[in-house]
Amino acid sequence: NAGVTQTPKFQVLKTGQSMTLQCAQDMNHEYMSWYRQDPGMGLRLIHYSVGAGITDQGEVPNGYNVSRSTTEDFPLRLLSAAPSQTSVYFCASSFRHQGRDNYGYTFGSGTRLTVV
Amino acid sequence: GIQVEQSPPDLILQEGANSTLRCNFSDSVNNLQWFHQNPWGQLINLFYIPSGTKQNGRLSATTVATERYSLLYISSSQTTDSGVYFCAPCSGTYKYIFGTGTRLKVLA
């Protein structure tokens, strides 16, 4: 049981390049999400998904795309990288809100992205 | 959208001391979580606490949803408690909004 796995751990991109951050979980969680963390600003929600084929926007979705073709995977695509997207990106997953007392909310270890 | 304010922003304690961290939020919520981010960046869920009080070892949390605040209590602090504590209320379906955190340093 690996939990939430994010790859790569570090990445440097040039302005205008595109790339995909990978996120996979093996806990059969229905809910998955992407956050970015900038210094002094906490975490901000980019996109989330409540199941395969269902995605929705968070607080800061511009410049990012997501898809959810399987329960396990939730990749985040940067369409045309900009220096403002330099950040640490975290993926998280949990069970759906169905009256549980604990949803098993689990974060990956993060991807540190620098755009130059 | 919902606004989240955490206080204090920074806190330094001697090992063994107790502390209370506060989270105020601007709208009604249907869920709220507390997280700890350790000095290596790993985020761990501490509590789901939409209302009432929960305890887990030296940590406990209370949310008074009608008054729009939540408190995290840390008793007999240890150096391993150092890091940043975030609260994240959820006002819609699954949209958790994080505060800017309380940075805690526990001195040996």
Side-chain angles (χ1 to χ4, degrees), chain B residues 1-7 21-32 34 49-52 62-72 87-91:
Chain B
I2 190 169
Q3 304 298 312
V4 184
E5 183 179 316
Q6 291 188 242
S7 61
L21 283 57
R22 186 175 181 103
C23 172
N24 293 332
F25 42 92
S26 59
D27 293 319
S28 60
V29 300
N30 54 26
N31 211 332
L32 185 143
W34 282 96
I49 182 87
S51 62
T62 294
T63 296
V64 184
T66 53
E67 297 186 22
R68 299 180 182 172
Y69 73 88
S70 184
L71 302 174
L72 179 70
C87 79
C90 178
S91 63

Side-chain angles (χ1 to χ4, degrees), chain A residues 18-37:
Chain A
S18 63
M19 80 159 295
T20 299
L21 307 186
Q22 301 291 344
C23 176
Q25 53 90 11
D26 61 358
M27 297 171 285
N28 205 28
H29 285 169
E30 300 95 340
Y31 170 78
M32 297 185 74
S33 58
W34 278 101
Y35 292 88
R36 59 177 289 173
Q37 185 175 28

Side-chain angles (χ1 to χ4, degrees), chain B residues 10-108:
Chain B
D10 296 281
L11 186 59
I12 299 176
L13 299 174
Q14 285 296 136
E15 202 168 27
N18 303 328
S19 62
T20 300
L21 283 57
R22 186 175 181 103
C23 172
N24 293 332
F25 42 92
S26 59
D27 293 319
S28 60
V29 300
N30 54 26
N31 211 332
L32 185 143
Q33 300 191 65
W34 282 96
F35 294 92
H36 175 227
Q37 185 170 38
N38 67 23
W40 297 273
Q42 183 64 38
L43 285 147
I44 302 294
N45 169 267
L46 298 174
F47 293 102
Y48 287 94
I49 182 87
S51 62
T53 298
K54 289 186 178 180
Q55 180 151 10
N56 185 0
R58 296 181 296 103
L59 273 59
S60 65
T62 294
T63 296
V64 184
T66 53
E67 297 186 22
R68 299 180 182 172
Y69 73 88
S70 184
L71 302 174
L72 179 70
Y73 305 95
I74 304 174
S75 64
S76 303
S77 58
Q78 301 176 357
T79 56
T80 52
D81 295 331
S82 295
V84 184
Y85 289 82
F86 293 103
C87 79
C90 178
S91 63
T93 308
Y94 303 104
K95 280 192 176 181
Y96 286 96
I97 305 301
F98 279 67
T100 54
T102 291
R103 188 174 301 274
L104 173 66
K105 186 166 187 178
V106 180
L107 305 176

Side-chain angles (χ1 to χ4, degrees), chain A residues 81-98:
Chain A
S84 60
Q85 294 179 305
T86 294
S87 189
V88 180
Y89 290 84
F90 287 97
C91 179
S93 72
S94 77
F95 291 112
R96 291 186 69 170
H97 292 182
Q98 291 176 331

